[in-house]
Amino acid sequence: MSSTPVLLFYDLGKRITAFSTTRHGGVSQGNYGEFNINKYCGDSPEAIRENRRRLCDTLCVEPSRLVLPHQVHGKVVRTITEDFFLLPEAERLEMLEGVDAVMTNVTNACLGVSTADCIPIIIYDAEHHAACAVHAGWRGTVQHIVRGGVEAMTAAYGSNPQKLCAVIGPGISLESFEVGDEVYEVFADAGFDMQRMARRFPPLTTQRSPVTKQKYHIDLWECNRQQLLDCGLSAEHIQVAGICTFQHCDDFFSARRLGISSGRIFTAFVLK
């Protein structure tokens, strides 16, 4: 067992450290093992505390400057300023309640979002040295939360979308994201090009019959990539990790494979 967290790093520029955690390098047990820092999914507080300490030591960031919102599959984007870190803990937690994206231009702080099949996205503005971490589950994707992140950065920092870079981290793939007809209809009603974003496959369940109806699958990676393009980002500035959490649940947490009582991936950044 590694004594330090094993991280998947992304290249967004020299002045930003961007990464996703894997399941390796921590002390959590069972479906939380080994590395989970999310306190909202039922893991041991002692394990979470030790894992957070290890992550902060690795990043050279003070634990008090580690920011994880309590996500609700909404579209609220919270701006974190230096004053945030001067607030009492209770007030900081209140500010992070019901938040699914966090952004800042503050250095030496680690901001991120938690996922376990949902899609994490980091958006970086090198010109203004600011970044945003976005949690886009299917509900957040339908609500265009990644567009909200770009628009919030434009309003707060003067970001030019054409100069932004983004990475779409590990999440569930088209092949593994089976949905009901009602979810398909929600995406269609929200204006997504379902000819491109969805396909039909035999059910993932092993109990099939010759007359089993095929099920829709939706490409959340592409849904969010297209939103970034629609916001004005250049295709060459968008990276897609291409890692399916459902298919690689030994290395990345997957709620569909492990259940909701399991750990979470932390996709985050530190501005240097």
Side-chain angles (χ1 to χ4, degrees):
M1 181 183 295
S2 173
S3 61
T4 58
V6 178
L7 308 178
L8 172 66
F9 289 101
Y10 309 110
D11 183 9
L12 289 177
K14 295 180 179 179
R15 301 178 63 202
I16 180 173
T17 299
F19 65 91
S20 292
T21 58
T22 70
R23 293 187 63 178
H24 310 298
V27 298
S28 295
Q29 301 292 317
N31 283 350
Y32 299 101
E34 301 168 354
F35 193 84
N36 169 67
I37 65 169
N38 186 300
K39 69 178 184 179
Y40 302 109
C41 57
D43 195 6
S44 155
E46 295 77 18
I48 293 168
R49 188 160 45 248
E50 172 60 17
N51 289 338
R52 290 189 178 196
R53 184 195 66 77
R54 293 185 181 195
L55 179 62
C56 289
D57 283 352
T58 299
L59 299 172
C60 297
V61 169
E62 291 294 324
S64 61
R65 295 176 72 82
L66 179 65
V67 179
L68 279 81
H70 186 199
Q71 301 157 190
V72 294
H73 297 278
K75 59 178 181 178
V76 173
V77 182
R78 177 72 70 233
T79 303
I80 304 298
T81 66
E82 191 62 52
D83 289 343
F84 171 87
F85 299 102
L86 302 177
L87 296 172
E89 182 180 7
E91 291 186 36
R92 295 199 304 271
L93 291 174
E94 184 176 353
M95 285 187 64
L96 295 172
E97 183 65 34
V99 170
D100 282 83
V102 284
M103 69 180 193
T104 196
N105 61 357
V106 171
T107 58
N108 300 315
C110 182
L111 280 68
V113 292
S114 302
T115 58
D117 289 332
C118 294
I119 311 302
I121 300 144
I122 298 176
I123 308 165
Y124 178 52
D125 178 353
E127 183 179 21
H128 299 93
H129 201 38
C132 182
V134 179
H135 161 245
W138 75 259
R139 293 177 178 85
T141 299
V142 164
Q143 296 177 78
H144 298 94
I145 186 172
V146 74
R147 177 192 299 167
V150 172
E151 292 176 348
M153 292 182 70
T154 300
Y157 309 123
S159 298
N160 178 351
Q162 293 181 345
K163 296 183 178 180
L164 295 176
C165 295
V167 60
I168 297 172
I172 197 164
S173 65
L174 165 72
E175 291 78 11
S176 300
F177 187 46
E178 180 183 282
V179 302
D181 291 357
E182 70 285 357
V183 174
Y184 175 94
E185 293 299 332
V186 171
F187 275 81
D189 291 344
F192 288 91
D193 180 358
M194 302 311 288
Q195 291 293 321
R196 291 182 52 213
M197 305 301 178
R199 292 174 60 189
R200 293 173 74 92
F201 294 100
L204 290 174
T205 176
T206 56
Q207 296 180 347
R208 301 175 183 173
S209 71
V211 295
T212 298
K213 181 181 177 182
Q214 290 192 328
K215 303 282 288 186
Y216 280 114
H217 288 230
I218 294 177
D219 190 342
L220 293 180
W221 299 348
E222 183 59 23
C223 286
N224 284 284
R225 193 185 77 89
Q226 188 60 56
Q227 284 186 46
L228 290 167
L229 291 172
D230 291 343
C231 287
L233 275 73
S234 301
E236 59 268 25
H237 291 167
I238 303 172
Q239 305 172 40
V240 181
I243 299 171
C244 177
T245 46
F246 184 87
Q247 296 174 15
H248 297 281
C249 62
D250 288 344
D251 293 319
F252 297 93
F253 292 110
S254 168
R256 285 201 171 198
R257 290 292 293 271
L258 303 169
I260 59 171
S261 296
S262 60
R264 301 291 187 269
I265 303 161
F266 184 55
T267 298
F269 63 86
V270 179
L271 299 176
K272 304 175 186 177

